Amino acid sequence: MLEGMVTQIVYRNEGNGYTVMELMTDDGEELTAVGYSPMLGQGERVQLEGVFTMHREYGRQFQAAVCRPMLPKTTEELERFLASGLIKGCGPATARAIIQTFGDEAGDILTFAPNQLVRVPGIGPVTAAKIGTSYAENMQLRQVIAGLSEYGITVSQAIRIAEEYGEDAVSRVKENPYRLSDDIFGIGFKTADAIAQKMGIEADAPFRMEAGLRHTLQLASGEGHMFLPSEILIPFTAKQLHTDVERVQRAAVRMLQTGVLKLGEGKNEPVYLAGYYRAEQECATLLKQLCQAELAPLRTEVADSIERRQKTSGIRLATQQKAAIETAVASPVSIITGGPGTGKTTIVQFVLSLFEQAGLEVALCAPTGRAAKRMEQATGRAAHTIHRLLEYGRGEENEEIYGKDQDHPLEADAVIVDEMSMVDTFLLMHLLRAVQQGTRVVFIGDADQLPSVGPGHVLHDLIQCGCFPVTALDTIFRQGEGSAISLNARRINRGEMPVPGQGFELWQAENPGQVWHHLQQLCAQGDWQVITPMKKGESGVISLNGKLQGLINPAGRGKAEFARFGQTFRVGDQVMQIRNDYNQPWTRDRGEELERGKGVFNGELGFITSIHLEAEMFTVQFDDDRVSEYDFAQADEVTLSYAISIHKSQGSEFDRVAIALLGGTPMLYNRNLLYTAVTRAKKHVILIGRKGVIQQMIANNKTKQRYSGLALMLGQDGTAL
């Protein structure tokens, strides 16, 4: 064990914290030390555990297995630490003033009585609080990083762990390292398993088998499954853990006995995580209750109201559309499905008008902010994301909180939900909890689009169960600009090649270079959203974003930028939020007042409006005018969005879309994927790629099976509701 002061940082890998440092030990020896350091800086005191090694090129070094930051022993060391730039609100001049004021007591003041810093000339209460908080957080964070470094946990991972678990971070990780894969963004099961083994957990330990089963089911949920058949779950888990099937089977039995897992109905023995089983069961129960509740009669004659609305709006409805409206008004729960141009928006406008004429309070909602905004523009009425409608937030312990639930239901007589294909089982459950009995619920969506990112196959199951009236719109009404998009979407669904027309083009490209040539031409002409199925590769999201950024928003003199997590961000960049952050604060200018709230969600688009290099902060303005401020450490929550994946584009619409299609995994390149991409465009879509790839996608009508049990649970009694 060595203890001393860092005299120089020779090298540091900011990604994993690996550091080469020059050290002056307390014995006066000067030496080189290497290891994963907790953000040490020059002039700081550190305690190292490890061994001396002989490097072929650099000679004698101390190989540190553990690096512990130490409190400065002298006032000189403390001043250097305070002046290092790591303590917010404290520069060299302030550090010198603190030492001059308190002398040897400065360390105790900073630790136990930071409010006393106001005695220092130039430090007010606000700055004193900032310095005290930053000092305490810095010390705590360094201790966590040091305590976890011996298990191979990187600095960036340790920072997230510290943010999640606080001062108990080290003990909680040691107690159950597998919890990291559940709780910490960016740490998967394999990483947690490697940490567990470094902590001495045996490879065949029952604890590990159970963790592996949970991981497999969680992995499956990430692919949209609510459960896995036992015949898939058990052998897959055994293979992942490099163990035998019998051990995993015994672990599964224990977990069923303790209620961690649930066995569903069906011949394939569906195995659920208990929370997933309860979510489907609750959705089925609440839907049945809604259907069995008595509806209050409307104070208007539906047929007459439809006729009056047709005259005032100048819109003539087709028979199918009238039937959909009448069903929605008369039914407790109804479903309207159809592709672009089939009149779903018109039906919503009529249904909303009828509800309002009858004196009903109506709530309009959709799963994404962009979808809610479109709904609002189409109806002229306020629309919300489902999360915001339910007043979603996080508590002090980061637990989920819904302001609207069974005890505090929505004050609505009717609820209209758009883009139902994107709603997963858990979101449906929370929505249904907040809907009062006797409320009319209208689900609207396109059953041919990709299913939700989250687990479940909600819209599909609601249609397939046979319990609710379903109107499937199949006539295209949209005319004029963009009408070829609707027609070609229909052709794709029928297994036919799209044909060029107004607002629809096919551009041949045989390689990534030709794709990029076409995109350069397009993006020089105007505002195009690029969509591609691939994340990696020359025509994938990552590569295209780098190229498009250089084309559309190049580096320039006076244009602030910063680099984090493998990406460079600039003022003016188009970005997308890629994870739900329910605590992220935002503001929105409402003219006379500033609206404040929390929560930004996966898939929301915006622009970087400012970057503050000294404060390490950047600001994003989202499409709905919300403005949110991030620190640089949060830069992995957003990504450039000049190009986005087809999956990420779901729920969004753009005027002009360019789709890059060169080839990829045959199983994933299917008709459903192409249909979803094409239907993102309102006015103009261009397919760029190989004609053969487009033909293959259209021919491949196989979609990956999702294991969900909602349809079965809804129809278990064998009767339509």
Side-chain angles (χ1 to χ4, degrees), residues 9 21 58 81 95 176 188 190 243 299 304 399 431 434 458 582 595 611-612 645-646 648 672 678 699 716:
I9 300 295
M21 70 191 85
Y58 300 111
F81 173 65
N176 179 9
K190 289 184 178 179
T243 189
R299 299 196 306 268
D304 291 344
E399 74 277 13
L431 176 62
V458 170
Y582 303 101
E595 182 186 2
I611 294 175
H612 307 283
S645 71
I646 296 174
K648 287 290 187 183
N672 192 220
V678 166
Q716 275 180 344

Side-chain angles (χ1 to χ4, degrees), residues 339-352:
T342 56
K344 296 192 298 294
T345 299
T346 300
I347 291 172
V348 170
Q349 293 169 338
F350 272 74
V351 170
L352 177 61

